[in-house]
């Protein structure tokens, strides 16, 4: 699945910087449908970035029809992805259960359910007692309304990445790990990538798939985009007797949690902004502030976990776009530099569909409505406006 010693040719058609889920899904699909010479350059090991640090959730419960349709496609692809990639993804469709405690949250769930019915997503609204019937351990005294989609699910993030990597290599992609791209130089009709190993690589097109780290590459070429990193924390518990099928989300607090196939409870939460501004840093150090906040919130919603032992806690950065939409496509001023960033913490679940549609566009120019909507140039004229409010975590 790639190595630091992978030989690279002097020139490739497409150089993908970043071997996270987006970069590898794109490489895999592009190699399957084209004869392009493709190289993926990763500065660390596979799953060292945000793709290996998330909760593995996949949901079609969004507030915008474009995102709902995209995730219906992504989840549908995941049903056969383990066979396609030749690896066990631990994919299970236990559903997503959203809980609303406020009038505003209740309105969001009602609006979403109406939208989902229009596009064919099997989301249904539940009274608090019906939500408790799905997860009896919940305290639903303050819950006004819930929504549930049984086709939403969870995967184990690491084999998701490994599977795409192995199959990309099998289809001829060159995967170089433990090698940083230290500088990107724009030439007349291509780019020269300078590598930390002392090598250089010419590429007709460069894909910036580095997520929250994308500014480092962009600013070298004078590309200024408004996405910003935002650190998010997550934890996992000791193995518990299986009791939880869906991934549960509390809209008010941003708390989410699910149970893995091995029994661990995996949970994260939206923290209030830190007074020192550290939430916008790329620090991957865990904090006591997070542990205290999530413990209080989780025990209040599900008292049964009060004595649960936490085994592991870690950080993964969201790559936050100011309008909630991803930033995908040719860069302003450098159309050969393709952005794949700004997914605001949800790129992992969108990657199966996005990798496929972006590969088609790179191979033969096939358009897609979401690529038009995600155009990186939309910020220049002040045209961007928020369409999505179901940003979780």
């Amino acid at each position: 699945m790639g190595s630091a010693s992978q030989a690279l040719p002097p020139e490739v058609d497409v150089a993908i910087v970043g071997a996270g889920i987006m970069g590898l899904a794109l490489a895999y699909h592009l190699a399957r449908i084209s004869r392009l010479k493709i190289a993926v350059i990763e500065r660390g090991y596979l799953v060292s970035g945000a793709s290996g640090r998330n909760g593995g959730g996949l949901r079609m419960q969004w507030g915008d029809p474009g995102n709902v349709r995209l995730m219906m496609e992504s989840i549908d692809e995941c049903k056969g992805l383990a066979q396609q990639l030749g690896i066990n993804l631990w994919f299970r469709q236990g559903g997503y259960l959203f809980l609303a405690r406020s009038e505003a949250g209740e309105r969001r769930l009602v609006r979403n359910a109406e939208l989902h019915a229009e596009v064919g997503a099997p989301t249904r609204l539940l009274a608090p007692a019906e939500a408790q019937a799905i997860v009896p351990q919940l305290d639903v005294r303050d819950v006004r309304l819930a929504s549930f989609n049984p086709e939403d699910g969870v995967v184990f993030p690491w084999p998701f990445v490994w599977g795409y990597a192995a199959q990309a290599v099998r289809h001829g992609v060159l995967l170089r790990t433990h090698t940083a791209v230290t500088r990107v130089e724009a030439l007349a009709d291509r780019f020269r990538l300078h590598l930390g190993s002392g090598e250089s690589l010419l590429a007709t097109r460069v894909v910036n798939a580095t997520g929250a780290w994308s500014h480092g590459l962009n600013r070298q070429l004078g590309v200024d985009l408004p996405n910003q990193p935002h650190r998010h924390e997550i934890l996992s518990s000791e193995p518990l007797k299986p009791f939880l099928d869906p991934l549960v989300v509390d809209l008010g607090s941003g708390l989410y949690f699910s149970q893995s196939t091995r029994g661990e409870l995996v949970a994260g939460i939206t923290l209030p902004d830190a007074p020192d501004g550290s939430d916008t840093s790329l620090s991957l150090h865990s904090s006591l502030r997070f542990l205290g906040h999530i413990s209080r919130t989780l025990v209040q919603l599900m008292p049964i976990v009060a004595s649960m032992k936490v085994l592991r806690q870690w950080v993964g950065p969201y790559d936050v776009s100011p309008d909630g939409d991803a930033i995908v496509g040719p860069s302003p001023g450098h159309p050969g530099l393709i952005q794949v960033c700004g997914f605001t913490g949800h790129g992992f679940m969108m990657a199966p569909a996005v990798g496929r549609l972006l590969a088609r566009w790179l191979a033969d120019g096939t358009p897609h409505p979401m690529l038009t909507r995600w155009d990186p140039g939309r910020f220049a004229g002040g045209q961007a406006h928020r369409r999505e409010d179901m940003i979780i975590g």
Side-chain angles (χ1 to χ4, degrees), residues 25-45:
L26 171 59
Y28 165 65
H29 286 294
L30 190 55
R32 289 181 68 199
I33 64 173
S34 76
R35 296 182 179 275
L36 295 172
K37 188 180 294 184
I38 305 161
V40 179
I41 314 296
E42 166 58 45
R43 69 176 183 177
Y45 56 90

Side-chain angles (χ1 to χ4, degrees), residues 58 60 71-85 87-94 120-122 149-155 160 164 349 352-353 356:
L58 306 162
M60 59 182 77
M71 280 310 304
M72 290 173 70
E73 180 182 338
S74 195
I75 289 173
D76 188 60
E77 181 154 340
C78 283
K79 294 176 183 177
L81 199 55
Q83 290 75 24
Q84 188 180 143
L85 300 182
I87 191 169
N88 188 354
L89 304 175
W90 303 103
F91 174 54
R92 58 184 179 85
Q93 290 178 283
N149 186 317
E151 294 191 12
D152 293 339
V154 179
V155 298
F160 214 56
Y164 274 121
M349 67 175 68
R356 183 183 294 277

Side-chain angles (χ1 to χ4, degrees), residues 122-373:
T123 302
R124 65 180 189 268
L125 296 176
L126 305 177
E130 293 175 301
Q132 193 174 47
I134 294 176
V135 184
Q137 295 80 8
L138 293 177
D139 183 341
V140 297
R141 285 176 293 180
D142 295 331
V143 174
R144 297 171 64 104
L145 187 68
S147 70
F148 181 68
N149 186 317
E151 294 191 12
D152 293 339
V154 179
V155 298
F156 185 26
W158 294 358
F160 214 56
V161 175
W162 294 336
Y164 274 121
Q167 291 303 317
V169 170
R170 182 168 175 249
H171 283 82
V173 172
L174 303 172
L175 176 53
R176 169 71 76 86
T177 60
H178 299 87
T179 304
V181 176
T182 58
R183 186 161 65 93
V184 178
E185 179 184 0
L187 306 178
D189 58 349
R190 67 196 71 187
F191 298 87
R192 177 178 286 116
L193 282 68
H194 298 266
L195 308 183
S197 59
E199 302 162 280
S200 66
L201 177 67
L202 291 172
T204 305
R205 286 184 288 187
V206 174
V207 176
N208 186 355
T210 58
W213 292 269
S214 61
H215 285 298
L217 189 156
N218 286 336
R219 287 171 178 164
Q220 294 177 17
L221 296 172
V223 175
D224 186 21
L225 294 172
N227 54 310
Q228 293 291 336
H230 197 282
R231 67 191 304 274
H232 282 252
E233 298 190 53
I234 193 168
L235 60 78
S236 64
S237 75
E238 60 184 325
L240 306 173
K241 182 179 179 180
F243 72 96
L244 182 63
D245 288 328
L247 188 151
V248 180
V249 181
D250 179 22
L251 277 178
S253 65
L255 171 71
Y256 65 92
F257 55 92
S258 65
Q259 189 172 27
S260 76
T261 52
R262 297 182 301 185
E264 303 101 332
L265 208 67
V266 180
I269 196 170
T270 302
L271 276 177
D273 288 340
D276 61 359
S278 60
D279 289 336
T280 60
S281 77
L282 283 170
S283 164
L284 299 182
H285 296 291
S286 301
S287 71
L288 183 61
R289 188 170 78 99
F290 164 79
L291 190 60
H293 184 64
I294 194 172
S295 298
R296 290 188 295 271
T297 310
L298 182 57
V299 170
Q300 182 181 11
L301 179 59
M302 197 163 60
I304 194 175
V305 301
S307 61
M308 178 183 74
K309 295 180 176 63
V310 173
L311 293 189
R312 202 160 64 90
Q313 179 183 342
W314 67 96
V315 174
Y318 277 21
D319 182 24
V320 178
S321 167
D323 63 359
D325 269 353
I327 302 172
V328 181
S331 304
H334 289 285
L337 175 64
I338 312 301
Q339 302 291 330
V340 190
C341 58
F343 283 89
T344 314
H346 300 87
F348 183 87
M349 67 175 68
M350 293 183 171
V354 173
R356 183 183 294 277
L357 67 90
L358 185 56
R360 286 198 297 261
W361 177 78
L362 283 171
D364 58 19
T366 301
H368 190 281
M370 295 305 284
L371 293 182
T372 301
R373 172 172 155 178

